[in-house]
Each structure stands twice: as structure tokens, then as C-alpha cells.
Amino acid sequence: MIKLKTLHPIITFCYFLLIISISILTQNPIIIAISFLSSLILYVELKGYKELFKNILYTLPFILLLAITNPLFVHKGETILFFMNDNPITLEAILYGFNIAFMITSIIYWFASFNELFTSDKYIYLFGNIAPKFSILLSMTLRFIPLYIKKYKEINKAQKGLGIYISNSYFDRLKSKFRVLSILISWCLENSIETANSMNSRGYKLKGRVNYSNYKFTLSDAIILVAIIISIIVSIALYSLKYFDYKFYPIMQNINFNSLYIIIYVFIFSVFNLFSLLETKEKVLWQCLKLKI
Amino acid sequence: MKKDFLIIFSIIILIVILACGVNIQSVENYYQTHIDEIKEDSKTVYLSISCKSILDNYDNLDNELKNEKYVPKDGIILKKTQFVLRPKDTVYDILNRVTKVYKIHMESSFSKKFNSVYIEGINHLYEFSCGPNSGWIYKVNNQFLNYGCSRYALKDKDNIEFIYTCDLGRDTGMNWSELK
């Protein structure tokens, strides 16, 4: 976490751009599996196992939901399992649903890691010259999520003290939670107006605003950037040669395991785990150095 | 607590009502459709399904469909066969029954805009599988109709042909301005 946060912002930005584009553009189930696992690994590196276990409870039903909606609407494949309302529910449609579900979940986890690494000052450094208004907008929008979570907890505690959770019935307590949510929303709207007023009075509207940031481009940054650029070129080549494609309908394509494909999969695995490898290397190095003291 | 039970009960009733509307059949059950025997005095129609135009545009076909199973060598999925016409049958009813009996894959959906059934695909050949102008059209008695296939009521001795077109109907001789 220490090393990744001291990287130059351009490198983090380019890396996540590459990773997310590969995840979106591919249909290959092996690449999507690699992307999913790597996103989980990076998430655990940055935030720890506890956070992951808290999130998994919400992620698994989400995956199931996405996977089940596909066969209900698409009836294309060849192996029919059963007929529902005169429409065939096919195995290929279910597997395609799982494919898409894992892809979307992996992109969510990549974005979670990205949010952890790419703080608001990095946004402003990168986009401050090109698009100052956009960078301020983006950094403010991203600040809102942890802020609203904190505020929800505060409001919840206050309302608990006032006694809205007394009732024995589960549905009454559910209704009270919705009330807390509506209080949160009204607070959010008022807060945004207050923030706008305060920023206005502190002179954010005036011209000639400059940012100070001390991001140096070091040698290790250069090496990582070269690795990322090589990965971008190779990925573009692979995409145009159609190695990322995979057809599910009418029957599933054969997954090749000859040597060329294995090299490609190993390459993709190393690209996706680049940051986690950097992080693990630093941690291992630190443990070794600690033992020497 | 009472309120809990009431709400849970009403949710269960809702789910049961929804589940009754869903009709789940196993594969063998679905294919057990009965075509009537052709007798002396029964009304009959002829049905044929062909995808000959794909053979002319084989390069445009999606890669995964370039297979004998989906595009037969002569382009005929079902040759002209005689079937009994039940009263008030539409073109879609005949196609549905025939594809069930002959185990040909067929997917269709109801379109509210045209108030008719739209044939999305037969034998895994869907619209746009062979270029952006491709899809299924049908003729009755060698004439293209301007109705969806569940809106035309059939008469005795009608000849139905389902043809796959790769050019919005132009390669099969359909003229959009001359439709009935």
C-alpha cells in the first residue's frame, strides 16, 4: 500500500485504464476468471481480508442475479435444459450470464482498488491543467461516498437514541431504516449547497488558481511505465487478432490449451497482477529487513 | 409480530400467483406434439423452410454458424411437406407445430407494436447472422404478405414458404411496395 500510493499518478491511471479496458473488451471466460481473481487479490492487498469478507456477502447474490436474468431473456443456445413458457432455457445462456456477471463484479472491484489508490489530489494533478472543472467535479463526487456512509451511521445512531427501532415487527424496523435514508438524502442536498457556498466564498471561482503537488517521476516509475506501455501494445495486438473473443451461441467454442494460448494466458495473468506483485515484493522486502534488525 | 405474518403471507401468495403463470416443461414433454393424420377430407397446407440465399453470401455468415448442422448443403431445412390444417390456424401455429415435431430449433417472440409473432430464428439462424440485412420472411401461395405470421388465417391447399433473406427480401424477389 505504501509503494503503490507513492507511484506517479500517470502510471496508476494508465494501468487501471489498461486493466479495465481488457476486462470490458474480452468475452473469454479464462481471461475474465483471471481478471476476477486479480481484482480480489489487489483489493485484499489494499484493504485487508476483513473488508473483502464483508463485501462478499453482497457480491455473491449480485452475481447470481445477473447470471439468472440472462437465460430468462435470451434463448439462443443448443443444449436445452427445460422449457419455460414455451421458451427454452439453455445451458449456454446460463453460462453466458455467469460470464457477464463475473466481468461486471471484477470491474467493480477494480474500481474499488482504483478509488483507494487514486486520491483527489492525484486527479487534480493529472487533469488540473487540461480540464480543471472536470477534475474538481470528479474529486468532489468521489469524496461523497465515504462521507455519506459516515453520515448515515451518525444519523442512525441519533435516531436509535430517539427510539424509532423499538417496534417488535421486522417490517416496522425496515420502514424506520427508509426514514433514516430519507433524512440522509435531505441532509446530502443541503450539504451540497453549503459546500458550494463555502467554496464560492473561499475564492474557488476566481481565475489564477494553482495547485501544488510534489509528484516526482523516479526511475522505478519509468520501469513500470515501460512495462505498462509494452502491455498496452501487446493487448491491442491480441485484441485485433481476435484472441479475446469467445462465442457462446449456438455452442460454446473450444477453449484452446496449446502453447501459444498458454503463453497468452500467462502474459495476461502477469499484466493483471502487476500491481499486486509490486505490493507483495515491498511487503516481503520489509519483512526481510525487519528480521535483520 | 402480527403485522410480520400478514406481510409474509401476502408475499407468499404473490409468489405463488406468479409461479402459476410460469409454465415449466421438460424437453421430452415439450416435443410431444401430435400432428394429425392426413385423411381424405381433411384440409391441408404445405410448408417448407429454406435458407438458400446464405449459400450465395457464405462469407457474410457468422463464423460459428458455418456448419452443416445450421446451413445444410442444399440450403433446405425442411422440404415441402403436407400438413393437416386445423380450424383457425395461422402461419405461426403451423410453423410452431411442425418445428416441435421435426425437432427444428425455432425462437419467436410476440411484438405488441405489430400485434403479431415475430420469428427471431429458425435452426439457430437468427436475424443479422448473415450481414446486416438478413432475416426470415415468409410467402403464402408465392406471394409476400404485409402481415405478421400470426395474423394471417390459412385456407385449404395454401403453400407456406419460410425463406432466409440476406438482403431485406430483395434477393428473394420481394418488392416492398407491392405487398398485399
Side-chain angles (χ1 to χ4, degrees):
Chain A
M1 201 155 46
I2 306 173
K3 167 74 174 182
L4 289 179
K5 284 191 177 170
T6 57
L7 282 178
H8 197 261
I10 278 220
I11 298 188
T12 344
F13 187 72
C14 286
Y15 179 72
F16 277 99
L17 203 64
L18 169 72
I19 294 293
I20 293 179
S21 339
I22 296 183
S23 298
I24 292 181
L25 291 172
T26 184
Q27 294 276 23
N28 200 330
I30 297 193
I31 296 184
I32 289 184
I34 293 177
S35 169
F36 183 66
L37 285 172
S38 316
S39 67
L40 288 183
I41 292 176
L42 189 59
Y43 190 75
V44 163
E45 292 267 349
L46 292 177
K47 288 198 178 174
Y49 282 102
K50 265 196 176 177
E51 280 287 331
L52 182 68
F53 286 136
K54 268 197 257 178
N55 280 332
I56 283 280
L57 274 170
Y58 294 108
T59 319
L60 287 176
F62 181 67
I63 293 179
L64 272 174
L65 192 71
L66 279 177
I68 289 193
T69 46
N70 191 50
L72 293 178
F73 292 102
V74 177
H75 306 116
K76 272 193 177 179
E78 236 186 67
T79 39
I80 306 177
L81 295 174
F82 57 89
F83 281 88
M84 190 175 83
N85 278 355
D86 284 345
N87 280 322
I89 306 277
T90 58
L91 186 68
E92 279 87 15
I94 297 180
L95 291 177
Y96 186 75
F98 271 111
N99 211 29
I100 292 286
F102 276 112
M103 179 178 90
I104 292 184
T105 323
S106 71
I107 291 182
I108 292 178
Y109 276 106
W110 283 122
F111 268 114
S113 322
F114 182 60
N115 202 22
E116 182 72 21
L117 287 179
F118 208 70
T119 48
S120 57
D121 52 341
K122 291 187 183 163
Y123 269 118
I124 299 184
Y125 172 72
L126 267 190
F127 298 116
N129 293 328
I130 314 170
K133 289 188 187 149
F134 175 74
S135 69
I136 279 257
L137 199 66
L138 207 58
S139 63
M140 282 176 67
T141 320
L142 287 174
R143 142 189 185 256
F144 282 149
I145 298 176
L147 180 70
Y148 290 167
I149 293 177
K150 206 172 75 164
K151 196 66 190 174
Y152 176 83
K153 288 186 181 146
E154 277 182 30
I155 299 178
N156 208 12
K157 282 191 191 147
Q159 288 291 326
K160 236 194 231 180
L162 287 174
I164 52 170
Y165 288 131
I166 312 180
S167 165
N168 267 333
S169 146
Y170 174 74
F171 286 98
D172 273 343
R173 274 179 277 151
L174 201 64
K175 237 185 5 181
S176 315
K177 288 207 172 123
F178 276 113
R179 225 176 94 187
V180 170
L181 203 67
S182 92
I183 297 173
L184 178 69
I185 291 178
S186 13
W187 180 85
C188 292
L189 295 172
E190 274 202 49
N191 180 53
S192 59
I193 299 182
E194 269 186 38
T195 312
N197 274 337
S198 102
M199 285 175 81
N200 199 7
S201 65
R202 275 182 291 146
Y204 266 84
K205 256 188 176 178
L206 304 171
K207 285 205 168 190
R209 194 166 21 106
V210 291
N211 312 306
Y212 171 71
S213 30
N214 56 349
Y215 293 116
K216 291 215 183 68
F217 201 75
T218 58
L219 182 65
S220 61
D221 288 341
I223 299 175
I224 301 174
L225 190 64
V226 164
I228 293 180
I229 289 179
I230 295 178
S231 319
I232 292 180
I233 295 175
V234 176
S235 314
I236 294 179
L238 286 177
Y239 178 67
S240 42
L241 289 174
K242 300 207 188 296
Y243 278 105
F244 286 167
D245 286 346
Y246 186 81
K247 304 274 187 215
F248 273 90
Y249 308 118
I251 35 174
M252 288 177 41
Q253 237 176 316
N254 292 325
I255 304 181
N256 286 327
F257 279 117
N258 50 359
S259 48
L260 176 64
Y261 275 89
I262 296 219
I263 295 178
I264 292 178
Y265 292 144
V266 167
F267 169 75
I268 299 267
F269 185 76
S270 54
V271 166
F272 273 106
N273 282 15
L274 184 67
F275 268 25
S276 341
L277 282 172
L278 282 174
E279 190 49 43
T280 335
K281 170 191 158 240
E282 291 296 318
K283 284 190 182 157
V284 165
L285 204 61
W286 170 237
Q287 293 296 329
C288 288
L289 291 173
K290 246 177 31 174
L291 288 175
K292 282 192 189 164
I293 298 177
Chain B
M1 285 301 277
K2 233 196 264 183
K3 221 174 166 189
D4 273 352
F5 283 133
L6 265 165
I7 295 184
I8 291 181
F9 187 63
S10 51
I11 291 178
I12 290 181
I13 289 197
L14 207 66
I15 293 179
V16 167
I17 292 179
L18 277 174
C20 284
V22 172
N23 176 23
I24 298 188
Q25 289 171 303
S26 68
V27 182
E28 311 95 44
N29 204 359
Y30 182 75
Y31 282 130
Q32 268 172 15
T33 326
H34 175 63
I35 41 169
D36 308 315
E37 290 283 319
I38 299 180
K39 295 196 277 275
E40 279 279 320
D41 54 347
S42 52
K43 300 196 178 150
T44 57
V45 289
Y46 301 93
L47 176 68
S48 67
I49 307 176
S50 107
C51 55
K52 284 218 186 87
S53 59
I54 294 188
L55 299 171
D56 298 326
N57 303 5
Y58 207 66
D59 300 325
N60 284 342
L61 189 61
D62 283 344
N63 278 332
E64 64 268 17
L65 290 173
K66 287 187 179 163
N67 193 346
E68 271 292 305
K69 261 199 293 184
Y70 309 122
V71 180
K73 241 189 221 154
D74 51 0
I76 297 182
I77 299 174
L78 178 71
K79 63 185 200 309
K80 182 168 166 178
T81 342
Q82 205 177 23
F83 297 104
V84 172
L85 172 71
R86 293 187 195 164
K88 285 202 192 154
D89 258 353
T90 59
V91 176
Y92 173 66
D93 290 326
I94 298 276
L95 182 72
N96 206 6
R97 203 179 308 142
V98 170
T99 48
K100 274 193 212 179
V101 170
Y102 280 74
K103 295 215 165 101
I104 303 176
H105 165 265
M106 197 264 299
E107 183 175 341
S108 57
S109 61
F110 187 75
S111 150
K112 272 196 218 144
K113 188 171 155 203
F114 296 106
N115 200 21
S116 147
V117 174
Y118 172 68
I119 304 288
E120 287 180 12
I122 303 180
N123 203 26
H124 296 283
L125 297 167
Y126 281 80
E127 53 173 0
F128 311 137
S129 294
C130 192
N133 284 340
S134 53
W136 286 99
I137 51 175
Y138 76 105
K139 304 202 257 196
V140 175
N141 294 335
N142 229 2
Q143 195 179 27
F144 291 101
L145 298 169
N146 212 0
Y147 306 112
C149 52
S150 69
R151 282 180 60 188
Y152 182 74
L154 290 166
K155 299 184 282 291
D156 191 20
K157 296 282 182 283
D158 275 342
N159 181 15
I160 313 170
E161 294 164 59
F162 270 90
I163 307 174
Y164 194 80
T165 169
C166 292
D167 198 18
L168 274 185
R170 285 186 282 258
D171 51 1
T172 50
M174 179 162 95
N175 196 341
W176 282 95
S177 52
E178 279 175 3
L179 292 177
K180 197 166 85 169

